[in-house]
Amino acid sequence: MKLDWKLFLPASVGVLPSLALAQQAEKPNVIVIMADDLGYGDLSCNGSNTVRTPNVERLANSGVRFTDAHSVAATSTPSRYSFLTGHYSWRRKDTGIAPGDAGMIIRPEQYTVADLFEANGYATCAIGKWHLGIGDKTGEQNWNEKITPNLADIGFGHSYIMAATADRVPCVYIENGKVANYDASAPIEVDYNKPFPGIPTGKDNPELLYNLKPSHGHDQAIVNGISRIGYMKGGGKALWKDEFIADSIVSHAVEFIKLHKDEPFFLYCATNDIHVPRFPHERFRGKSGMGYRGDAILQFDWSVGQLLDVLDELGLTEKTLVVLTSDNGPVVDDGYKDRAVELLGDHRPWGPYRGSKYSNFEAGTRVPFIVSWPGKVKKGVSSALISQIDFLGTMAEMLGTTLNTEQKKDSEGYLKSWLGKSKKGRDYVVESAGALSISDGEWKYITPNNKRAFNPNTSVETGNFPSDQLYNLKNDLSEKNNVAGQHPKEVQRLKKILEREYKNL
Ligand code: NG6
Ligand code: CA
């Protein structure tokens, strides 16, 4: 049963379309293409000349490409939580990188952007990487039956998802709460604590890893000749094959679009690319010259092209707002020996920025961001400071729906900026990667902490430091000079805003 979030709110604060807004409201189809770990510099439209992404370029040419857009966090679960709910993930302790058997993190009573679209008469759908848990309690799902609560309880009328990531069990797709292609002859069991007796693992049976071997971690369950995080038993014909994941996601997305071509729809299409294990289809292999990481970028670009093609084919391009972004910054070695480091050459996944995924430095959260809506956007490049936290608020603004304080919490409407009609974005963005940081576009402040500054496995500069860090992004884009000592007033000013945000004032 879908719990009604309205029941948890005082009677006076339901969704009320404001009259003035409702009159201007428009209901384009909305497609979000959420890439995984795709860096700002992984796209040719963002200036890379070491990789070609023509389909993303095609989207950028029909829309606004942002140069200062941010995810809320530098890893997937907290980033996506904020994107879909408009609440800062750092307000909750349980939004860290989720295991594949995590219980549903967004609870049915919480308002989501899918609820917003559903309430506005949209057909809603989530396809691909989820990573926000499913079922009531961590570790207690019965993967052989319908799992509840599931995405239908938070506004997604249809869903076809991977529970977490491709490197985490269970390695099956879940369609509307049930394992897709379920194979009754191979019941599924998942355990994140101990191996199943008699079932090989990457650690004990490296000879079975015929597709990819781990470089660090990822030595537990073996599926499709690749070892993963977590233990798993069974699955049979429901188990995915990594080389077909992009095709599966695209074909389900295209099917949804075709089915709902005559009504407004919201499609959250979260690609598996370019997260590890990178194991693209053979038609992309060897095509980038950078190994599977680069090939996965080409596969991502192809996926984008497929979605744009079907919109063209159905005459929906002008009626569809597309947002393309990434959940966090890039990482080169994220745990598999896929030769990404060796073959990187001159490619700079992080673009001109310092850091990467997991990092408080800019590249952790300064993500690719394109908004296209032909005829409605002012095409071009925008340096407006924007954040994914505002997706909910901005869509509500577009639809003419007034959200109450609890629903939108941290999310504001920036429709004019998102459509390229205003150069002005947010006054500041708040980001998290272990520590909290804040940037107003010129000054960036990172809170002190005692965590490690460098991860030797991933070669990530985390941006952690035991005292205040302040960078001037206008003349030090790559955050080389900590000027906190020279500018105590700026430090105090940004600290104050952060404290105010933290207390939610
Ligand atoms: C890390 C994994 C990494 C990736 C990440 C989540 C290891 C050693 N590393 O713990 O491979 O899965 O979690 O990435 O296990 S994210 O993009 O989904 O946040
Ligand atoms: Ca990610």
Side-chain angles (χ1 to χ4, degrees), residues 271-291:
T271 68
N272 167 55
D273 291 317
I274 61 167
H275 197 277
V276 296
R278 304 167 189 129
F279 198 65
H281 191 269
E282 60 183 16
R283 65 189 189 276
F284 301 102
R285 288 190 206 159
K287 294 284 156 49
S288 69
M290 287 191 279

Side-chain angles (χ1 to χ4, degrees), residues 36-37 75-76 80 129 275 327-328 357:
D36 199 353
D37 298 359
T75 50
S76 157
R80 291 161 195 253
K129 175 176 173 172
H275 197 277
D327 64 343
N328 51 253
K357 176 180 181 179

